[in-house]
Amino acid sequence: DAGVIQSPRHEVTEMGQEVTLRCKPISGHDYLFWYRQTMMRGLELLIYFNNNVPIDDSGMPEDRFSAKMPNASFSTLKIQPSEPRDSAVYFCASSPTGGRFSEQYFGPGTRLTVT
Amino acid sequence: GESVGLHLPTLSVQEGDNSIINCAYSNSASDYFIWYKQESGKGPQFIIDIRSNMDKRQGQRVTVLLNKTVKHLSLQIAATQPGDSAVYFCAEGKNYGGSQGNLIFGKGTKLSVKP
C-alpha cells in the first residue's frame, strides 16, 4: 500500500486566497483525521471522520476552515480566506476500526505558507 | 483542561546508550497511550502503544512503561542509534463503545544522538 497520500506537499499563497488540501487515506481504513502542526502549539487535531461522517470538529479553529469527505478514499480541508496565522504543516492520518484501539498512519503532510 | 505534556523538551544521548523519554498525562480516563516518532520533514510514525490496564510493554529495542499512580508514561530506547534522532510524541486516547476516539498529543521531545 502507498500509505496516506497528501497533496500538495507545499503550498504558498497570499492572504485572502482559498486553499484546498487533499488527502487519500489507506484503503480500507474507516477513520480519517486532519491535524495541524506548529512550533508553538504542537500537533492539534482539527477534525476526524468515521465512515465519511464527521465525528468531532471541535478543533476546527473558525468558520474559515471546512473539511469534507465525499467518499471513503478522499478528503479535503479548505481554508477560505487564508491568513498568515494559518501557516503550518497539515497532516492527514487514517486508521482502521478494530476491537482494540488502533494506531494512526500519518501522511507526509502539506506545508502551508500564507504571506 | 485535560492535556498530555512532556517533562523534557530536548534530550541528547551518546550512541549506544539507552534513552528514556518521559511524558505526564492528566486524563485518568484514557484507555490507551501511544508513542510516535517524527523525523524531520515527515509525518509522525507509530512506535508502540500500551493499554491502560498494562504497566509495561516491549517492542523491538523499545519499552513503554505506564505508571497510573502518578500518571506518567515513558519510552525507553535501548542502544540508541543515530537513526533514532527525531522528535518523540506521546499521545493518549479513549475508546467509546468499541469505536475509536481521537488522540491528544503532547508537545514532543527532541532526541539527539551523538556519534
Side-chain angles (χ1 to χ4, degrees), chain B residues 24-41:
Chain B
Y25 67 93
S26 58
N27 187 354
S28 57
S30 291
D31 294 310
Y32 55 94
F33 303 87
I34 304 177
W35 281 101
Y36 282 87
K37 171 186 179 183
Q38 186 176 23
E39 297 174 280
S40 180

Side-chain angles (χ1 to χ4, degrees), chain A:
Chain A
D1 198 313
V4 175
I5 299 173
Q6 291 187 248
S7 65
R9 292 295 310 275
H10 301 273
E11 178 78 39
V12 180
T13 190
E14 293 184 346
M15 182 176 63
Q17 296 298 307
E18 176 182 303
V19 176
T20 299
L21 310 181
R22 296 172 176 80
C23 175
K24 176 178 169 55
I26 293 173
S27 178
H29 283 193
D30 301 302
Y31 287 87
L32 184 140
F33 304 80
W34 281 102
Y35 290 90
R36 177 173 67 177
Q37 187 176 43
T38 62
M39 289 296 293
M40 292 297 295
R41 301 175 67 89
L43 199 59
E44 302 174 282
L45 176 68
L46 299 176
I47 184 172
Y48 78 95
F49 296 82
N50 180 213
N51 292 321
N52 312 337
V53 177
I55 302 301
D56 185 353
D57 65 353
S58 59
M60 296 287 262
E62 46 198 274
D63 292 345
R64 297 185 298 107
F65 285 69
S66 63
K68 294 182 179 179
M69 192 165 185
N71 57 62
S73 60
F74 183 66
S75 177
T76 59
L77 178 67
K78 183 179 294 185
I79 307 173
Q80 180 185 24
S82 59
E83 296 182 4
R85 60 193 169 117
D86 301 330
S87 297
V89 180
Y90 290 80
F91 289 103
C92 176
S94 70
S95 68
T97 299
R100 60 181 294 267
F101 54 87
S102 303
E103 64 209 56
Q104 294 182 17
Y105 296 82
F106 282 76
T110 294
R111 181 174 293 278
L112 173 65
T113 303
V114 183
T115 60

Side-chain angles (χ1 to χ4, degrees), chain B residues 29-76:
Chain B
S30 291
D31 294 310
Y32 55 94
F33 303 87
I34 304 177
W35 281 101
Y36 282 87
K37 171 186 179 183
Q38 186 176 23
E39 297 174 280
S40 180
K42 296 183 179 179
Q45 180 183 10
F46 173 88
I47 302 174
I48 191 169
D49 55 21
I50 187 169
R51 284 183 178 272
S52 60
N53 61 357
M54 300 170 66
D55 53 22
K56 181 179 180 179
R57 189 164 188 229
Q58 288 184 294
Q60 189 175 20
R61 277 202 309 120
V62 295
T63 300
V64 56
L65 299 177
L66 177 63
N67 186 332
K68 293 181 288 295
T69 302
V70 295
K71 297 180 183 176
H72 184 266
L73 185 71
S74 69
L75 177 70
Q76 300 179 0

Side-chain angles (χ1 to χ4, degrees), chain B residues 87-112:
Chain B
V87 176
Y88 290 81
F89 295 93
C90 63
E92 60 179 321
K94 186 168 177 59
N95 288 332
Y96 296 93
S99 298
Q100 176 181 175
N102 58 294
L103 294 177
I104 299 174
F105 283 80
K107 294 297 185 184
T109 292
K110 183 176 181 180
L111 176 65
S112 294

Side-chain angles (χ1 to χ4, degrees), chain B residues 11-17 80-85 111-115:
Chain B
L11 178 65
S12 183
V13 300
Q14 201 71 36
E15 180 179 359
D17 288 350
T80 312
Q81 303 169 0
D84 295 327
S85 294
L111 176 65
S112 294
V113 182
K114 297 178 289 185

